Every structure is written in structure tokens, then in C-alpha cells.
Amino acid sequence: MNSPTLAPLARRTAIRPIRMIHLGLGNFFRAHQAWYTDTASDAAEWGYAAFDGRSPRMSTLLRPQGGAYTLVTQAPGGDELRVVESLSAVHAATEAAAWLGYFEDPQVAIVTLTITEAGYRVDPDGAHAHEVAALRSDPRAAVASAVGRMVAGLLARRAAGAGGIVLLPCDNLPDNGPGLREAVTRYADRVDPTLLAWIDAHVTFGSTMVDRITPATTPALVAEVERQGGFADSAPVPTEPFTEWVIACDFPAGRPDWDATFVDDVTPYEHRKHWLLNGSHSLLAYRGLLLGHVTVRDAILDPDCRGWVERWWDEAQRHIVLDADSNAAYRGHLIERYENPSIRHELAQISMDGSEKLLGRVLPVVLAEREAGRVPEAALMVLGAWVAFLRARPVPVRDPRADELCELAALPDLGDAARALVAVLDADLASDDQALDGIVAAADALLAAREGAAR
């Protein structure tokens, strides 16, 4: 590990003025949006107030460090350590007064979010009805859901007359800007319908495509940073050299000088990233775990997994409108990233939340291939691998619908289990016998291969 000379972590150069809020204080945010802000030419002018999504774990670790942490960029030729100082304040999710206070500050111009796909799904008439009732009674009531917190913040900003603000989602959610707008306005309409006109006039919803592989932090990384950096850091973040951020948004009150790509429409870039990178990640996770692999690198070095990744890419690329040379280069970068020996990206981590992730990563290609009159063989294999994963459970299933999925996967007949699981994703696809046959065949072959390897 190549270590530059670093000041002790607790010795920050300066606390930057808070002009942005972030919700979701996880590793990806700290390797991506926080890093982009820290490396901007005007970084000294833009500080973040960052909040945990639910668990207070990360704010508890970062608060004694003043919000600073080490980003460890892991490259085949050696690692680089950088102390990131763009977090001027860190807060637990329960610090509702602080949350509202930042929204009331007219100097705060941008709110970014990394709350994962599940965080955008709200039901103000059902599961979140108690939050709606609380905000109706008291606009400053503490609420737990991400969208509820957005609406509470906007109510406070309107009451304070603090002016416009940008909400910028940074999750792997198709059409994340329109998705956030729909979720916020639907929720707001239940709380206070008069807020909708204010939102139309004062809130800008941007769309983004984000990309940077960011594994989980391990005790070994914590120890290595202390050894090489000469300071203790309870929350370092490992990441890869590659990073990409594509943004479609106006920023009426300004923004940091991010080294991002600014476009009118992120959709083509979004499709390429979601289908080629995220789709192949899901393929490698489910197929790779069933075949005994642990990391992305392990799986991509397996000719079986590599072959299916290439077939998936060929199938998905038919529906990506960016030019062929650009797509070919992107695929080459993906192989380099997957084979990076310095990055330990565990398949178990990627396997999480399949019932949410597959909706944007795989189903669009299935539907596009069927509309073109073709059988989406590679896409059906990915879905078959998911079915086999849920049936065999090589690692614990972590999904918002885990109990339901595991119960369906345990149905005695594989065909019945596959049809029930696919119906969770798309009822129409579950009724397509030809597609279901492909999914069942893929699942059956993987389960047989797993059983054979265990003998």
C-alpha cells in the first residue's frame, strides 16, 4: 500500500460552510458525492450536513472524527489514501430538529440522497399513514421514512421563506428524478395539498446516473489505514479508481464545481450503467454464489460466468442508444474493474434487494427483447439464477420481501416456485409459458451444478 504523508485525521483544515444536505450516510455517498465535492475547485465553499438513513452507526463513528474520513482508492498498482473533509456536520436519523433547521437555511441549496431503491417506495395511505397523520397534526413532527423527511423539510422551508432548493437523488433507480418527484408530491398531497403549488414553484428535481464500485469496510481496512496513515479512522471507505457521475439538472442557487458530466437527459447513460454494470453484477452475484464464488473477481475469472456476462451484454446492448464504440469501451472498462485484484466486492453484498434491483436492471431488457420478437435468453438466465439463489440460499437472503420470497422459493415444484417468484417482479412475464420455461431451465441447471459440486 503506497501511503502519502497525511495529517492526523482529527486535524481538519477548516469547517466548510454548510450549503448541502445529504440523506444516507453510507460508503457509496462518501466515495462518490462527498468525494466529488471534496475534489471540486471550489470545495472550500461547499460543506455537507450528512444524516444517517436509519441506523445511527455511521454518524456515531464519524462524529468524533469531525466528519472526516479516509477514502482508500484501491488500484492494481497500489492504493491511495485521501482524507475527505466535505462533511461539515454529521447527524443521526433521529435529529429531526437539525434536519429541519438546515432546510430553513436559505444558504442550503441542494439535497442529495442515497437511500437505495426501497427508500423511494412509500405508501402514505398504508404503511406510512401514521407519518402523514403526525405531519398533519404537527408539521415539525419527527418522521422516519426518507420521503417523509423530505416533505417535512419542504414544509419547514416554505414556512421559513427560505426560497428554492434542489433535490438530487443519486441511487440506481431508473428515472430517479421523476421517481423522487412522484413520491414526494404524492406524500405531500396527503399531508398538505397546498404544498404542491409551492413545490412546483420552488423545488427542482434533478436526475443522475452514478457509478463507483464501493465494497463494505472491513476490520482489515481499518487496521491498514491506521498502520499506513499513522492515525486511527473508524470509518474508512474502500473504492476503485473508476468513477462516473452524469447529471441532468438546473441549479438555481449554484452548485460545487463537480467534475461530472452534465447533460439534458441521463436516460442513455442510465440504461448503459443499469443494464451492463448492475445487470451483470446481479448475474455474477446469483450465478457466482451458487457456483461457490465469493467476490466479483472470483466470478468474472470463471469462464462460465464470464461467458454469460458477455451474452447478457450482447443482449442488453441492442437497446442502448449510445454509439457502439463507446459501449465497447465501457464493456472493456467493466472487465478491468471486475478483475481488479485490489477490490474485494463481495457477491453477498450485491445479492441484496433483488426484488427491487431486478426491476430496473433486467426486466427492461426482457420486455424490449420480447417486443422485438426474440426470446431474451440471457435475461431469462439472470432471472433463473435469482430463482435458484432463493431456492438454495447459499448466503442469507437480504431483501425487503425476504420472508415472502423464501416461502415462495420453497414450494415443492420448481416450476411453481419460479412462476410465483417471477410474479413478484412482473405478473405478465409470469404468465408467459415460454419465458417461464427458460427461467426454470436456467434455475434447474444451476441447482444441479451446485448439487454436483457439493458431492
Side-chain angles (χ1 to χ4, degrees):
M1 195 171 189
N2 299 329
S3 176
T5 301
L6 295 174
L9 190 58
R11 193 181 302 158
R12 296 189 56 149
T13 55
I15 301 297
R16 298 164 188 176
I18 294 174
R19 299 198 61 200
M20 296 187 293
I21 308 168
H22 183 80
L23 179 58
L25 190 50
N27 275 14
F28 180 76
F29 159 66
R30 293 186 294 130
H32 198 272
Q33 298 90 43
W35 175 84
Y36 273 92
T37 302
D38 195 64
T39 56
S41 63
D42 55 354
E45 302 171 21
W46 292 88
Y48 260 117
F51 286 75
D52 276 316
R54 287 189 180 274
S55 165
R57 177 177 178 275
M58 196 54 62
S59 59
T60 300
L61 293 175
L62 286 170
R63 186 172 284 122
Q65 303 179 180
Y69 60 91
T70 312
L71 187 71
V72 183
T73 303
Q74 300 174 320
D79 295 354
E80 176 187 342
L81 277 66
R82 177 189 179 93
V83 174
V84 175
E85 299 186 357
S86 54
L87 308 189
S88 296
V90 292
H91 297 276
T94 54
E95 295 181 59
W99 173 263
L100 299 180
Y102 292 122
F103 270 88
E104 292 168 330
D105 184 350
Q107 296 303 308
V108 171
I110 302 168
V111 182
T112 56
L113 304 86
T114 49
I115 57 176
T116 76
E117 290 92 331
Y120 296 89
R121 297 186 178 275
V122 296
D123 182 7
D125 297 316
H128 299 95
H130 66 290
E131 290 190 351
V132 169
L135 288 174
R136 281 177 181 165
S137 175
D138 177 6
R140 303 186 69 82
V143 292
S145 71
V147 175
R149 289 159 76 176
M150 290 294 127
V151 172
L154 296 178
L155 286 167
R157 193 168 184 90
R158 180 182 66 169
I165 196 165
V166 171
L167 302 189
L168 193 66
C170 300
D171 285 287
N172 290 319
L173 182 74
D175 299 318
N176 56 19
L180 179 60
R181 176 191 288 273
E182 193 280 331
V184 166
T185 54
R186 180 168 173 248
Y187 195 113
D189 185 49
R190 300 303 191 275
V191 174
D192 180 356
T194 69
L195 184 62
L196 297 181
W198 186 89
I199 289 174
D200 285 341
H202 295 89
V203 181
T204 301
F205 292 86
S207 292
T208 66
M209 188 285 292
V210 296
D211 187 5
R212 195 170 202 183
I213 294 172
T214 309
T217 299
T218 64
L221 182 73
V222 173
E224 186 68 5
V225 167
E226 182 169 2
R227 186 179 73 82
Q228 294 288 344
F231 51 78
D233 183 351
S234 299
V237 180
T239 195
E240 63 170 336
F242 181 92
T243 184
E244 188 174 18
W245 196 5
V246 181
I247 302 173
C249 185
D250 294 324
F251 294 89
R255 60 166 175 81
D257 184 26
W258 288 320
D259 184 19
T261 301
F262 295 91
V263 298
D264 293 329
D265 182 11
V266 303
T267 303
Y269 300 89
E270 182 181 80
H271 286 170
R272 182 167 69 182
K273 193 264 182 173
H274 288 170
W275 300 346
L276 299 191
L277 186 148
N278 297 127
S280 63
H281 262 173
S282 290
L283 186 162
L284 290 169
Y286 300 127
R287 191 174 189 91
L289 286 166
L290 288 161
L291 296 178
H293 301 305
V294 176
T295 67
V296 168
R297 187 171 191 270
D298 296 338
I300 200 63
L301 293 177
D302 179 338
D304 172 271
C305 292
R306 170 71 177 267
W308 274 108
V309 164
E310 296 284 359
R311 292 169 74 174
W312 161 251
W313 283 345
D314 289 342
E315 194 166 275
Q317 190 173 316
R318 296 175 188 145
H319 309 285
I320 297 172
V321 300
L322 297 172
D323 67 272
D325 288 344
S326 174
N327 289 335
Y330 188 83
R331 288 171 61 161
H333 287 310
L334 288 180
I335 291 297
E336 292 176 1
R337 297 166 68 188
Y338 292 177
E339 291 182 347
N340 184 348
S342 300
I343 289 286
R344 182 176 175 82
H345 201 180
E346 296 195 359
L347 299 175
Q349 180 187 5
I350 298 170
S351 74
M352 295 168 52
D353 303 337
S355 69
E356 300 280 353
K357 292 175 177 176
L358 293 174
L359 296 175
R361 298 180 177 193
V362 176
L363 278 193
V365 176
V366 173
L367 300 178
E369 284 288 279
R370 291 168 77 208
E371 285 182 9
R374 294 186 291 265
V375 176
E377 180 182 358
L380 297 180
M381 193 285 304
V382 181
L383 297 180
W386 178 63
V387 170
F389 165 81
L390 292 171
R391 201 163 172 88
R393 297 183 220 172
V395 298
V397 175
R398 298 176 63 187
D399 190 285
R401 305 176 69 169
D403 292 343
E404 174 191 4
L405 296 175
C406 291
E407 182 178 350
L408 295 175
L411 290 172
D413 181 76
L414 176 59
D416 291 340
R419 190 181 299 275
L421 289 168
V422 172
V424 170
L425 303 176
D426 187 286
D428 180 60
L429 183 61
S431 66
D432 182 333
D433 289 338
Q434 183 182 31
L436 198 70
D437 286 346
I439 293 169
V440 171
D444 190 44
L446 267 173
L447 290 168
R450 175 178 172 79
E451 186 176 327
R455 289 173 182 165

